[in-house]
Amino acid sequence: MVTSSSSWSQALVQISPYTFSAVGIAISIGVSVLGTAWGIYITGSSLIGAAIKAPRITSKNLISVIFCEAVAIYGVIVAIILQTKLESVPSSRMHDPESMRAGYAIFASGIIVGFANLVCGLCVGIIGSSCALSDAQNSSLFVKILVIEIFGSALGLFGVIVGIIMSAQATWPTKA
Amino acid sequence: MYGFEALTFNIHGGYLEAIVRGYRSGLLTAADYNNLCQCETLDDIKMHLSATEYGSYLQNEPSPLHTTTIVEKCTLKLVDEYKHMLTQATEPLSTFLEYITYGHMIDNVVLIVTGTLHERDVQELLEKCHPLGMFDSIATLAIAQNMRELYRLVLVDTPLAPYFSECITSEDLDDMNIEIMRNTLYKAYLEDFYRFCQKLGGATAEIMSDLLAFEADRRAVNITINSIGTELTRDDRRKLYSNFGLLYPYGHEELAVCEDMDQVRGAMEKYPPYQSIFSKLSYGESQILDKAFYEEEVKRLCLAFEQQFHYGVFFAYMRLREQEIRNLILKYLGNLKLDFYFEFDSTRIDFGEEPQ
């Protein structure tokens, strides 16, 4: 199968597709949660400080935190979907192109969702921080900045959609 | 790296930045100043100020109110806010906040030394010192006879110690030397602060560089104008200019040889940001220049709040609050006879009488 290609491609091809799938699932949930946590602390610290002078902003600005949290939920949902796609393959067919494709598809799906959620969480967190500080000074600004946050959180959705489409074609070979 | 502060600033500085922005929203507004304009007596002023953020500080004062009390209480509010922030800050923000007060320390040192020279009582002088610039052993300054003793006895333990390397001489302290000492210290302090901000990098470095450069340039102009016609030589004058800022180095060369106001104006008009200030003066009165500089400074300080995730907001807030107290002193408590004990103004430079 591989005779004159480099030793790297030989090594990569020998890695089991299960490894790729598992790493993909891990990245999907792990990196999403990283993005969420990052966003929540960015928003939260500004929100707490600003709420001392202007206590009225606390309940409205929890929306920013909820948007960040939604990002983690996307990661969990996709991880659960991906793990249902993981099937056992007879060991004779483990390195077939079919099963390699399935493994790579799950891996890619995980990376897509993970990193899209990472940047989405960051984006929403930074905007949420600015939103809290502006709302404390002038309450008419809240809704306007919220619109920016909504656009930001759409990024996570894009990632989820593409990730699910990718994983839908992860069909493992069934028979030996 | 400039542009990515938003990712990590809030770990240590997010809470305090939100707090300082909350404080900023408590600055007196145009409506407050309008109300204060219409006050006839000190009690009116107290009543109007009670409706602002200063209320809790003034309400317990008994009714025959003295102007110095109002100023003291307003300054006390600033000091409380500053201490609140300083106790919650971590490095490097805590060092940054401490740097902001070194200017006041220098002023206090000069105040006590000058006062001792004019044979005033040490306790009286201590009460006039700015609270942000106090340090232990400040009272011992009254004993020193010359600069070397000043350094050895008191200042070597303070944060001002590294600024003294340029001005330790055995000369006796007289008015001229004290003024030179003040300006040399301030120069060293500004340069040190500038280097510190550059080390912090990112948005803090950029914004603070701009603010500190304006401060350095403004001091250079003030030194030039105040030393025209005095005994200060050109070389001495040049040594007092800071080594950063828009005017460094060519503007300083021109300013060093200026002998009157028109020459200063000629030198400064080559720089677009300062041209607008100098074009407002027609016949070169110093007071208009002071006011124009203050206005420009306040404009720049307000701009510092436009950006998030940097330390410049702390510096800007402290300066704006001080300007507000200055406004209260100058405009509304104007019956007060201003001698140098009430001037918390670090930009005031006085090299002595013009020779007759």
Side-chain angles (χ1 to χ4, degrees), chain B residues 137-185:
Chain B
S137 73
I138 191 171
T140 343
L141 283 171
I143 307 179
Q145 299 294 333
N146 61 30
M147 294 200 204
R148 204 179 286 280
E149 270 186 29
L150 202 63
Y151 179 71
R152 200 171 48 85
L153 288 178
V154 184
L155 293 164
V156 68
D157 292 323
T158 64
L160 298 179
Y163 305 149
F164 260 83
S165 56
E166 282 183 35
C167 60
I168 301 183
T169 62
S170 298
E171 286 177 26
D172 278 337
L173 298 168
D174 62 22
D175 277 322
M176 171 76 135
N177 287 336
I178 291 179
E179 204 54 41
I180 294 183
M181 174 179 87
R182 182 220 293 259
N183 285 298
T184 318
L185 284 179

Side-chain angles (χ1 to χ4, degrees), chain A residues 66-96:
Chain A
I66 292 174
F67 273 130
C68 285
E69 185 68 27
V71 160
I73 293 177
Y74 299 156
V76 171
I77 291 176
V78 170
I80 292 178
I81 292 176
L82 290 182
Q83 65 87 28
T84 58
K85 300 277 180 201
L86 207 51
E87 295 168 6
S88 285
V89 163
S91 51
S92 57
R93 302 203 65 186
M94 188 148 80
H95 287 280
D96 274 6

Side-chain angles (χ1 to χ4, degrees), chain B residues 232-265:
Chain B
L232 198 65
T233 65
R234 287 180 184 182
D235 284 330
D236 280 340
R237 200 197 280 180
R238 196 177 287 127
K239 272 195 280 193
L240 294 176
Y241 296 151
S242 304
N243 62 2
F244 65 96
L246 207 56
L247 293 177
Y248 169 79
Y250 306 113
H252 289 163
E253 290 299 321
E254 288 188 35
L255 279 179
V257 299
C258 285
E259 293 300 335
D260 66 38
M261 191 63 194
D262 287 326
Q263 287 181 0
V264 171
R265 188 191 321 185

Side-chain angles (χ1 to χ4, degrees), chain B residues 64-212:
Chain B
L65 208 55
H66 206 262
T67 40
T68 50
T69 321
I70 297 187
V71 172
E72 257 177 53
K73 292 298 168 191
C74 293
T75 316
L76 184 63
K77 178 176 194 300
L78 173 61
V79 172
D80 282 344
E81 290 174 351
Y82 173 79
K83 290 210 173 113
H84 177 75
M85 291 193 292
L86 186 61
T87 47
Q88 309 234 21
T90 59
E91 291 292 332
L93 180 56
S94 53
T95 312
F96 185 90
L97 287 174
E98 282 169 8
Y99 264 102
I100 299 178
T101 60
Y102 292 166
H104 291 298
M105 262 187 219
I106 293 175
D107 287 337
N108 284 351
V109 167
V110 170
L111 185 74
I112 290 192
V113 170
T114 319
T116 312
L117 195 65
H118 291 288
E119 324 240 322
R120 306 219 199 241
D121 179 39
V122 173
Q123 279 308 113
E124 197 189 311
L125 292 172
L126 282 179
E127 281 166 26
K128 308 286 198 298
C129 281
H130 197 286
L132 278 178
M134 297 300 277
F135 51 92
D136 300 332
S137 73
I138 191 171
T140 343
L141 283 171
I143 307 179
Q145 299 294 333
N146 61 30
M147 294 200 204
R148 204 179 286 280
E149 270 186 29
L150 202 63
Y151 179 71
R152 200 171 48 85
L153 288 178
V154 184
L155 293 164
V156 68
D157 292 323
T158 64
L160 298 179
Y163 305 149
F164 260 83
S165 56
E166 282 183 35
C167 60
I168 301 183
T169 62
S170 298
E171 286 177 26
D172 278 337
L173 298 168
D174 62 22
D175 277 322
M176 171 76 135
N177 287 336
I178 291 179
E179 204 54 41
I180 294 183
M181 174 179 87
R182 182 220 293 259
N183 285 298
T184 318
L185 284 179
Y186 212 88
K187 167 194 172 191
Y189 155 62
L190 276 182
E191 288 173 5
D192 194 27
F193 199 2
Y194 183 79
R195 268 194 304 266
F196 177 71
C197 292
Q198 293 293 97
K199 214 165 37 136
L200 290 176
T204 302
E206 170 126 348
I207 292 172
M208 286 305 296
S209 299
D210 183 51
L211 293 174
L212 290 177

